[in-house]
Amino acid sequence: AYVGRISQELQSCEHPALKRVFAWDLAQIAGMLDFVHALTTPEQKATVEAVIHAYQQEVVPRLPELPRAVVQNDANDHNVIIAPDGEVAGVIDWGDMIYTQRANEIAISMAYIMLDKEDPLAAGAQLYAGFVSAAPLLPVERASLRILTACRLAMSLTMGAFSYSQNPGNEYLLITAEPAWKALRILWTSPPEDFDSAIEQAAAQFN
């Protein structure tokens, strides 16, 4: 729910510097085609290309209907500060902020929460439930969410592989590679109906 509250607060945020072209903006996912050659297996390359194709075919036509807003663009467990009582005290690392599709915020958070989980869909659904309790989504945003989440996983996997190809001694670049690939493979090979059912059930139980 905390990231959802941040999303709500950012609705009123405006600054011309945030209206920029930025590689980590999900709206720039097609740019990953320039880097897929760095992926290590044909399956990874085919999956990332399929995700990009789905974005172009299904999400791009909806762009005029998808609300735009400033997003933090990198809300994940490494950027969350936890207070001694276990509650979330804040979020750091705001350097990726951008004005883009509002639904990208929850998609990015869901992608990260799916990493290293036995059941990535269930983990993502739990985050979804908390987020929408504070920042409800429009139907068109919900309809785009599975692909947007896959886009972030595909982007992380591709950029990590490319960066490692340029600097093969930096093992840090591979930290999220295997977890991201596992989550993306499960998300993308599962029927879309499974994703929809998971988030709907989680939201209903949360409320």
Side-chain angles (χ1 to χ4, degrees), residues 90-130:
V91 173
I92 61 173
D93 194 356
W94 292 74
D96 287 356
M97 283 179 72
I98 192 167
Y99 182 78
T100 187
Q101 281 67 47
R102 181 179 67 179
N104 292 358
E105 191 82 278
I106 182 174
I108 291 166
S109 295
M110 288 179 67
Y112 277 117
I113 206 69
M114 289 179 175
L115 301 181
D116 288 314
K117 299 299 191 301
E118 183 174 339
D119 188 343
L121 293 185
Q126 289 299 312
L127 187 139
Y128 170 89

Side-chain angles (χ1 to χ4, degrees), residues 13-202:
C13 178
E14 292 185 14
H15 194 284
L18 299 174
K19 296 181 179 181
R20 55 180 174 143
V21 176
F22 182 49
W24 286 94
D25 179 5
L26 296 187
Q28 304 298 322
I29 185 65
M32 293 300 103
L33 291 172
D34 294 335
F35 304 103
V36 293
H37 61 83
L39 293 167
T40 56
T41 70
E43 184 185 7
Q44 289 181 353
K45 182 178 178 182
T47 301
V48 169
E49 289 176 340
V51 170
I52 295 171
H53 180 74
Y55 180 89
Q56 293 171 323
Q57 294 297 308
E58 299 182 43
V59 179
V60 169
R62 298 176 185 146
L63 290 179
E65 304 173 62
L66 289 170
R68 292 167 63 84
V70 172
V71 300
Q72 196 270 352
N73 208 46
D74 197 23
N76 65 78
D77 51 351
H78 292 288
N79 292 337
V80 174
I81 299 173
I82 303 298
D85 63 0
E87 294 296 317
V88 177
V91 173
I92 61 173
D93 194 356
W94 292 74
D96 287 356
M97 283 179 72
I98 192 167
Y99 182 78
T100 187
Q101 281 67 47
R102 181 179 67 179
N104 292 358
E105 191 82 278
I106 182 174
I108 291 166
S109 295
M110 288 179 67
Y112 277 117
I113 206 69
M114 289 179 175
L115 301 181
D116 288 314
K117 299 299 191 301
E118 183 174 339
D119 188 343
L121 293 185
Q126 289 299 312
L127 187 139
Y128 170 89
F131 186 102
V132 300
S133 71
L137 301 183
L138 297 178
V140 68
E141 293 176 299
R142 286 196 300 276
S144 305
L145 190 54
R146 173 177 172 270
I147 294 175
L148 290 174
T149 304
C151 282
R152 181 59 176 216
L153 291 167
M155 187 175 281
S156 295
L157 184 67
T158 303
M159 290 303 289
F162 175 74
S163 297
Y164 186 73
S165 73
Q166 301 301 300
N167 185 10
N170 188 351
E171 298 295 326
Y172 174 79
L173 297 170
L174 299 179
I175 287 176
T176 61
E178 186 56 34
W181 172 235
K182 177 186 174 183
L184 178 59
R185 184 172 55 209
I186 291 173
L187 174 61
W188 202 246
T189 58
S190 299
E193 295 79 11
D194 288 0
F195 178 87
D196 295 338
S197 176
I199 63 174
E200 289 170 6
Q201 290 181 18

